[in-house]
Amino acid sequence: MPKWLYCKQTHLVRSQMIVDLHCHSTFSDGQLTPSQLIDKAIDAHIALFALTDHDTLEGLQACHLAAQNKPIHIINGIELSVRWKLHDLHVIGLNFNAEHPSLLNLIHLQNIRRIKRAEKIGGLLEQCQIPHTYTKARDLAGHDRIGRRHFAEVLVSEGWVPDIASAFKRFLKRGRPAYLPSEWCDLATGIEVLKEAGGSVFIAHPLHYRLTRSKLRSLLRDFKASGGTGLEVISGNMTPQQIRDLANLCQEFEFFASSGSDYHGDRSGRISLGKQAALPENCVPIWHHWPDWQNKPDKS
Ligand code: AMP
Ligand code: MN
Ligand code: MN
Ligand code: MN
């Protein structure tokens, strides 16, 4: 396929397009609403965009609405929490039917698991003599899909730790007193359901899990065998060496590549929307293989 295909909606040729297929809104643990994200994405000249909130589709409608008649194309997205062996992983689902019954059912189950987990995390923090964090986290989030980041923000605002990173280090990450082993759906189920809904599935930020080299390769083999589509080769801030490494793995396993900022808001200290590095030349971007988005009006 030629690299210069023209995109009618954004008036850009494809090789010049800025793409961001991973970010979060107030419907999960981000700081901006979907409509604020769309404004910011347009300011950043993003042509192709996906909101990928944790285990929820709640923000998608607002996202499509805000993008109507604007020079940006939105595809459906989600960041699903899954279990693989003893590891908590994230997969990014893209370009699926957001009304598919199996997907809605899985998200309903994930939501129940998330609420139960949050209540238990609150209990564990209580045992550390830190009271009422569950209700405070829920108030702060404004919904009940509470994640560890909300707890981290409460711990910072109440002065228990100086910053979010310390909250994870002292209390919330694996091995710390308020960490709980996951009860998320398993990796194969997550892939199966997202694919049933017509989507593509990517391992989010594959280097975040601190897997040994052989464990990472074993994950990639299992992911491929279960029908996974590809790797998020670019995710937020990465070193050139990390990018080369992931791009080579992506090529070796014949995966497609995806790219996103994992933006949570300007206070999160990570890079902003659309500011992640470009995909290396040896990667095949998944959006080059979505035949129907280049010349069609927004499907929302
Ligand atoms: P959860 O879905 O509740 O397990 O929370 C995962 C979210 O917590 C991630 O998407 C990040 O937003 C945040 N997070 C996880 N680990 C860290 C960390 N070490 N420092 C800062 N934020 C983190
Ligand atoms: Mn998050
Ligand atoms: Mn993630
Ligand atoms: Mn994310």
Side-chain angles (χ1 to χ4, degrees), residues 22-24 28-29 52-54 79 90 92 204-205 232 235 261-264 270:
H22 186 162
C23 73
H24 298 274
S28 65
D29 56 1
T52 54
D53 276 322
H54 297 285
E79 183 169 14
H90 289 170
I92 298 287
H205 40 68
E232 196 178 50
S235 172
S261 60
D262 204 0
Y263 178 72
H264 282 71
R270 301 192 204 177

Side-chain angles (χ1 to χ4, degrees), residues 22-24 29 31 40 54 79 90 149 153 164-165 168 205 208 232 235-238 260-276:
H22 186 162
C23 73
H24 298 274
D29 56 1
Q31 288 153 7
K40 197 170 175 69
H54 297 285
E79 183 169 14
H90 289 170
R149 192 181 184 88
E153 284 180 18
I164 299 270
F168 276 89
H205 40 68
H208 275 204
E232 196 178 50
S235 172
N237 245 340
M238 294 169 73
S261 60
D262 204 0
Y263 178 72
H264 282 71
D266 289 335
R267 274 187 284 128
S268 75
R270 301 192 204 177
I271 58 166
S272 192
L273 273 192
K275 300 294 186 225
Q276 75 279 17

Side-chain angles (χ1 to χ4, degrees), residues 197-228:
S200 316
V201 193
F202 297 81
I203 299 181
H205 40 68
L207 300 180
H208 275 204
Y209 311 114
R210 299 181 186 280
L211 301 174
T212 61
R213 203 64 191 168
S214 63
K215 256 281 161 57
L216 178 60
R217 296 182 77 86
S218 158
L219 166 63
L220 299 192
R221 278 194 299 274
D222 281 4
F223 183 69
K224 180 112 191 164
S226 301

